[in-house]
Amino acid sequence: LRIDGLDKRLIARLCGDLPLEERPFRALAEELGSTEDEVIGRIRRLERDGVMRRLGAIVRHREAGIAGNAMAAWVVPDERADEIGEHVASLDEVTHCYLREAAPEWPYTLYAMIHARSEERCREVARAIAERFGVTDYVVLASRREFTKRSVEYFSESIGEQTDDDSETDSAHPGR
Amino acid sequence: MDTHGMDKHDATLLTRVQSGLPVERRPFRRVGEELGMPEREVVERLRRLKASGLIRRMGATFEPGPLGYVSTLAGMQVPAERLEALAAFVGRFPEVTHSYERDGAWNLWFTLTAASAGRLEAVLEAIRAEGRGCRLVSVPTRKRYKLRVEFDLVHEEPGFRADR
């Protein structure tokens, strides 16, 4: 996998906003001193190589009506992690599911981010997983306040000043 | 659903553009063809959804690993009266992508993605020092089973689907 200077600048630029116009990649190419087809070819390659996850809209889901969100974590024996993790991953309400290292004072290893229209529904989803697999040592940590939400700015040094408003720290939406 | 003035066509469009734009010269024309909407209307609606804040960003997400980046999830126990100040400190690092107050004694949780393991450790160390004795755990990923943050905003029942 080779990432050259133009790739880095393209990646850094795509961490911001795509111009909302008929030919967005032509606009990007002009900014980067490249051509539309070159930019399109490189983005396709980044996607094909598994470097780019996706190019699309990232939604403020709370504002769009998905109000409940909780992080749940279970104590899961290693040998059952795949079985349980794959089931959790299959659930519609689960957006993220990871197996993580345990810490001495924090024994949980299987994590899920659960999104639903209510917090109560998030708790039901977590409880159903615990009961189904008998992994009853678990926590549901609902979010009380969002302090920061931003996208990673890869290779930001490669394009100098980032000015997109996505990098804001957002503490203006307390208490949900 | 009618949220932030979002109408049925907005919900359909927003659901569609979460799952990936076609990477071609006229991506919005293609999306419009799929939805039976003129290209100009697609662009105008997306501009409005971006301006209203329903679209946080129209851009790309990347895998940290292939780009040489490392990430972790960290939790802290912070006394209530110090939580806001410490969260503000944490949020000043561009490596911190999500930070939330959560229920329970472990009340501050944040994710970090950094350009190197050394940088990740340096940020954690700075936060640990600023925490002045607050307990901190860092639990890096061993395996990912799912990462798919897409919401079906069209179907009210049976709720929504995160994975379509």
Side-chain angles (χ1 to χ4, degrees):
Chain A
L1 183 67
R2 267 204 59 219
I3 304 284
D4 67 14
L6 179 55
D7 287 326
K8 286 185 181 179
R9 288 190 295 128
L10 178 59
I11 289 168
R13 182 58 187 78
L14 289 171
C15 291
D17 271 285
L18 196 68
L20 293 177
E21 52 188 78
E22 275 76 7
R23 311 257 309 252
F25 303 113
R26 186 174 63 180
L28 279 193
E30 280 166 13
E31 288 180 38
L32 297 170
S34 182
T35 66
E36 184 178 32
D37 288 344
E38 177 73 23
V39 163
I40 286 171
R42 282 176 182 254
I43 294 173
R44 286 181 178 165
R45 179 169 51 75
L46 291 169
E47 188 163 35
R48 195 179 58 234
D49 290 349
V51 174
M52 189 178 86
R53 209 179 280 146
R54 97 192 138 94
L55 173 67
I58 297 160
V59 168
R60 285 197 167 87
H61 52 82
R62 287 177 176 142
E63 282 78 350
I66 314 292
N69 121 49
M71 183 178 87
W74 298 261
V75 176
V76 164
D78 266 3
E79 65 275 14
R80 298 189 64 203
D82 284 354
E83 172 202 2
I84 303 173
E86 279 156 22
H87 168 78
V88 173
S90 75
L91 301 175
D92 287 339
E93 292 88 348
V94 171
T95 55
H96 307 62
C97 181
Y98 291 88
L99 185 67
R100 296 182 176 279
E101 306 282 353
E105 45 194 348
W106 187 257
Y108 306 96
T109 49
L110 186 70
Y111 290 71
M113 285 300 314
I114 305 173
H115 290 80
R117 294 208 183 266
S118 72
E119 188 181 312
E120 187 45 40
R121 175 68 192 141
C122 295
R123 293 184 184 281
E124 285 170 17
V125 170
R127 189 185 319 125
I129 293 163
E131 287 170 2
R132 178 181 176 127
F133 295 100
V135 284
T136 49
D137 189 357
Y138 76 105
V139 288
V140 180
L141 304 179
S143 71
R144 290 292 158 238
R145 198 159 21 156
E146 181 178 288
F147 291 118
T148 303
K149 190 164 201 171
R150 62 163 75 93
S151 301
V152 186
E153 291 174 10
Y154 293 101
F155 306 125
S156 56
E157 74 285 353
S158 69
I159 54 166
E161 292 281 277
Q162 284 274 97
T163 53
D164 69 272
D165 67 2
D166 186 47
S167 58
E168 75 211 6
T169 289
D170 188 353
S171 53
H173 304 290
R176 279 170 301 187
Chain B
M1 187 194 331
D2 181 46
T3 314
H4 281 230
M6 182 167 70
D7 67 19
K8 196 175 66 183
H9 301 294
D10 288 334
T12 303
L13 177 60
L14 203 42
T15 300
R16 169 61 188 86
V17 295
Q18 285 177 84
S19 64
L21 284 179
V23 183
E24 55 188 57
R25 288 184 173 187
R26 308 271 293 265
F28 303 118
R29 183 172 66 181
R30 173 79 67 194
V31 168
E33 283 166 5
E34 291 173 26
L35 302 180
M37 196 183 280
E39 180 182 34
R40 175 171 297 277
E41 186 181 341
V42 171
V43 171
E44 281 170 3
R45 281 181 183 271
L46 290 176
R47 283 180 182 161
R48 191 162 38 72
L49 290 165
K50 171 69 185 165
S52 76
L54 275 173
I55 293 179
R56 187 160 70 86
R57 185 166 72 88
M58 177 71 89
T61 51
F62 296 91
E63 294 290 344
L67 297 176
Y69 280 62
V70 290
S71 57
T72 193
L73 168 71
M76 290 183 86
Q77 291 190 3
V78 186
E81 68 276 11
R82 292 178 53 203
L83 182 61
E84 282 203 25
L86 191 63
F89 180 83
V90 167
R92 267 179 228 127
F93 292 95
E95 288 85 357
V96 173
T97 55
H98 299 73
S99 169
Y100 288 91
E101 178 186 2
R102 297 193 180 278
D103 292 340
W106 294 90
N107 55 349
L108 180 62
W109 289 89
F110 50 93
T111 53
L112 292 147
T113 300
S116 68
R119 176 63 190 158
L120 188 80
E121 275 313 306
V123 173
L124 280 175
E125 265 320 301
I127 292 170
R128 199 190 305 270
E130 183 73 12
R132 300 194 306 276
C134 293
R135 295 156 88 190
L136 183 153
V137 289
S138 167
V139 287
T141 300
R142 293 167 59 197
K143 186 166 183 177
R144 183 170 82 197
Y145 294 106
K146 184 181 197 176
L147 172 50
R148 189 151 182 157
V149 188
E150 293 173 30
F151 301 97
D152 181 344
L153 303 174
V154 175
H155 300 95
E156 192 85 55
E157 285 301 329
F160 74 102
R161 291 166 176 174
D163 191 14
R164 292 292 183 276

